[in-house]
Amino acid sequence: MSGARAEGLSEAELLQVVTVCEATKGAAAALQARATAMFVEDRDARVAQDRADGVVSAREASCRRRGARAELALARRCSPGQADRHVGLAKSLVHDLPYTMAALTAGELSEWRATIVARETACLSHEDRVEADRRLAGCLTTVSDKELAAAAHRASADPDAEALVRRRRKAVASGNVSVRPAADGMAWLSIPGPLADVVGAFAALTKAEQSRYVATGDPEVDAARAADERGRGAWMADTALELLSGRCEGQVQPVEVGLVMREEAIVRTGEGSGASGDAGSVFFRTGATGAGDRDEVEVPGWGAMPGEMAREHLLRLCDAGTATWLRRLWTAPGGNDLVAMDSKRRLFSGVLRQLVELRDATCRVPFCGAPIRDIDHVRGHARGGETSAANAMSDCRGHNLVKEAPGWRAEVTSTGLDPGGGPHEVTLTTPTGSEYICTAPPLLGHGRPHPPRPRSAPALVPDLMWSPLETHLASMFAA
């Protein structure tokens, strides 16, 4: 289909192409679900047999089952969490939802609408789920998504009302806290919880906001409250974040600033205007901020924010007299790949770990993007692997365990320390033989224009431990 073109078709023919493509996507999703279910069930059956024969321990069996889901995630180019949902959907369609699967196979239903049915009936037993699917057969392809979800909920409530109660109890036990970037330098902090607890927390914030209009008898406090021009919503949001971070009222969030040092910051390379105009940018530590000449500001693992907001935050810290740490981050020529950083800081240890976390930002396995939980040896320490930035790779907890399962291999293909040699790269091989390249992202994130590369290096091969200044001087002597 990649060679098909829409040019030259009439409006009616264009709509027919859209209809056929939509049906093809549904049929492909059905085939993909069958293949997914078969792959997982075959792998799980072999693991179960090995466990029954005493070949593997319970922990090793769990790791192998998790590895099958990780392979699916790479094949589908999605995160492991999304892969788990795809596996659940595939098993439901193949075993519990025959009418939904038939409509999907015929191209009459989209994968999303099949997901709605599977989601709303997930709490039912096999027999009740088949019955609910039969009841929904008449409206699968005729009602809206919202109406389908409501119909599936009714079909689930009638056969087994107790199942809905169990589902709600399970939801309470699976509560979590998550952060995701938002527009304009903002972020969402999500805390799903029991309805009564969430409403109670909101009521407490509301009551606290209303009390700021009540006189306390303290002239300074009353004057400060009168001068506060924040609206109700802004005050409640600021107060909630202060309480969660343990800050006092009005205290600015402490930060650490990482200053990206390119070679132009030390010597003129002939490619720019010199150190004064192209000295680099300020790079974020977690929860930190800063800004540079180019307004390139990055929060590791979360994304970019406007430089003006970063400078404003730093000025607030200065006004409050809060100590702010400044750390220099050294990059390879071009300014994209982190190779070294200052190691002297009295209040923090584990600088090597910090370097790798700044370099990788999130889990390095493709399509994962989960927060870093472990720094792993690419070549295991037991097999002679050294504890260095070149042999380190950031992982989420799941991928760190999966890589230890039989059949998984990892190998460093680029150390990222050779000036001009590109970023740090690891080749990850799965038990089925598929290879995936795990490449460290640019220090200031994807989506920014790459700075011009320095002039081609001379024949002299620099030592890996040379600084940018030594590399530049060597090139001048060799010219």
Side-chain angles (χ1 to χ4, degrees):
M1 295 182 65
S2 61
R5 294 291 182 269
E7 291 80 3
L9 300 180
S10 65
E11 291 184 352
E13 290 171 334
L14 289 173
L15 287 178
Q16 188 175 4
V17 169
V18 171
T19 302
V20 171
C21 288
E22 188 65 23
T24 303
K25 288 195 297 182
L31 178 60
Q32 190 176 44
R34 292 189 181 92
T36 297
M38 187 176 298
F39 172 80
V40 171
E41 289 167 0
D42 287 349
R43 181 69 64 84
D44 288 352
R46 291 204 304 271
V47 172
Q49 185 61 47
D50 289 343
R51 176 67 183 130
D53 295 340
V55 177
V56 297
S57 65
R59 184 180 182 276
E60 290 172 332
S62 175
C63 188
R64 292 189 182 189
R65 286 191 292 268
R66 191 182 297 111
R69 276 72 175 172
E71 286 187 77
L72 273 174
L74 290 169
R76 290 206 57 158
R77 304 176 185 177
C78 65
S79 69
Q82 290 175 308
D84 286 340
R85 290 190 288 273
H86 290 314
V87 170
L89 174 62
K91 288 184 175 182
S92 299
L93 290 171
V94 170
H95 300 297
D96 300 332
L97 304 172
Y99 293 94
T100 302
M101 186 60 158
L104 187 65
T105 302
E108 300 172 353
L109 196 69
S110 67
E111 185 179 23
W112 170 243
R113 290 172 68 83
T115 302
I116 292 175
V117 176
R119 180 190 67 199
E120 296 298 331
T121 60
C123 58
L124 300 178
S125 64
H126 169 71
E127 293 76 13
D128 290 337
R129 206 172 192 187
V130 171
E131 173 60 21
D133 185 49
R134 185 191 64 79
R135 295 185 183 185
L136 294 171
C139 64
L140 282 174
T141 61
T142 58
V143 298
S144 66
D145 291 355
K146 184 177 180 180
E147 290 172 318
L148 180 59
H153 183 77
R154 296 188 200 100
S156 301
D158 291 343
D160 190 358
E162 181 62 27
L164 295 181
V165 177
R166 293 195 301 268
R167 178 176 177 175
R168 286 178 172 81
R169 290 172 181 168
K170 184 178 179 180
V172 171
S174 61
N176 70 320
V177 179
S178 62
V179 177
R180 66 184 189 277
D184 305 320
M186 305 289 282
W188 292 98
L189 175 65
S190 301
I191 312 177
L195 179 62
D197 293 346
V198 173
V199 171
F202 183 77
L205 274 175
T206 302
K207 184 177 180 180
E209 193 276 332
Q210 293 172 347
S211 68
R212 67 180 177 139
Y213 299 106
V214 179
T216 63
D218 186 330
E220 292 185 3
V221 174
D222 292 342
R225 289 184 173 183
D228 192 346
E229 299 180 351
R230 289 177 295 176
R232 176 174 178 270
W235 188 94
M236 292 173 65
D238 292 343
T239 301
L241 293 176
E242 287 173 355
L243 293 173
L244 287 172
S245 60
R247 292 179 283 134
C248 301
E249 182 177 355
Q251 181 183 358
V252 185
Q253 175 65 48
V255 301
E256 178 183 280
V257 179
L259 181 63
V260 178
M261 304 294 292
R262 300 192 180 100
E263 67 276 14
E264 302 98 304
I266 307 173
V267 294
R268 293 179 181 271
T269 62
E271 302 293 337
S273 57
S276 61
D278 199 21
S281 310
V282 171
F283 180 78
F284 272 78
R285 277 287 299 159
T286 304
T289 157
D293 293 331
R294 295 181 181 175
D295 283 351
E296 294 176 349
V297 182
E298 186 77 10
V299 183
W302 302 110
M305 72 175 292
E308 185 62 35
M309 293 181 64
R311 284 191 290 273
E312 180 182 337
H313 191 95
L314 284 177
L315 290 175
R316 290 172 60 200
L317 284 170
C318 294
D319 292 341
T322 302
T324 303
W325 289 103
L326 179 65
R327 187 187 297 281
R328 292 172 297 176
L329 308 177
W330 297 94
T331 69
N336 282 328
D337 308 321
L338 180 64
V339 296
M341 63 186 286
D342 283 346
S343 59
K344 294 182 179 180
R345 180 183 174 196
R346 293 171 297 168
L347 302 181
F348 194 88
S349 60
V351 176
L352 178 59
R353 178 186 180 92
Q354 196 174 10
L355 169 66
V356 177
E357 289 177 341
L358 286 173
R359 181 194 69 192
D360 295 345
T362 61
C363 177
R364 280 275 296 281
V365 177
F367 319 117
C368 180
I372 296 172
R373 290 291 180 266
D374 298 290
I375 304 298
D376 192 26
H377 289 78
V378 178
R379 179 180 176 83
H381 186 269
R383 295 186 290 115
E386 60 181 6
T387 303
S388 65
N391 192 45
M393 176 175 169
S394 300
D395 297 316
C396 63
R397 184 60 50 83
H399 277 123
N400 185 43
L401 296 174
V402 163
K403 284 162 51 184
E404 301 301 322
W408 289 82
R409 300 191 309 276
E411 180 183 1
V412 176
T413 52
S414 174
T415 64
L417 301 178
D418 184 10
H424 186 267
E425 283 188 354
V426 173
T427 299
L428 185 65
T429 306
T430 68
T432 54
S434 299
E435 292 187 351
Y436 297 89
I437 305 300
C438 310
T439 305
L443 180 57
L444 288 168
H446 295 287
R448 289 192 167 104
H450 297 302
R453 287 284 181 182
R455 289 173 295 183
S456 58
L460 180 64
V461 178
D463 187 271
L464 292 181
M465 299 303 295
W466 284 5
S467 69
L469 177 58
E470 291 170 322
T471 302
H472 180 72
L473 291 176
S475 67
M476 292 177 61
F477 290 132

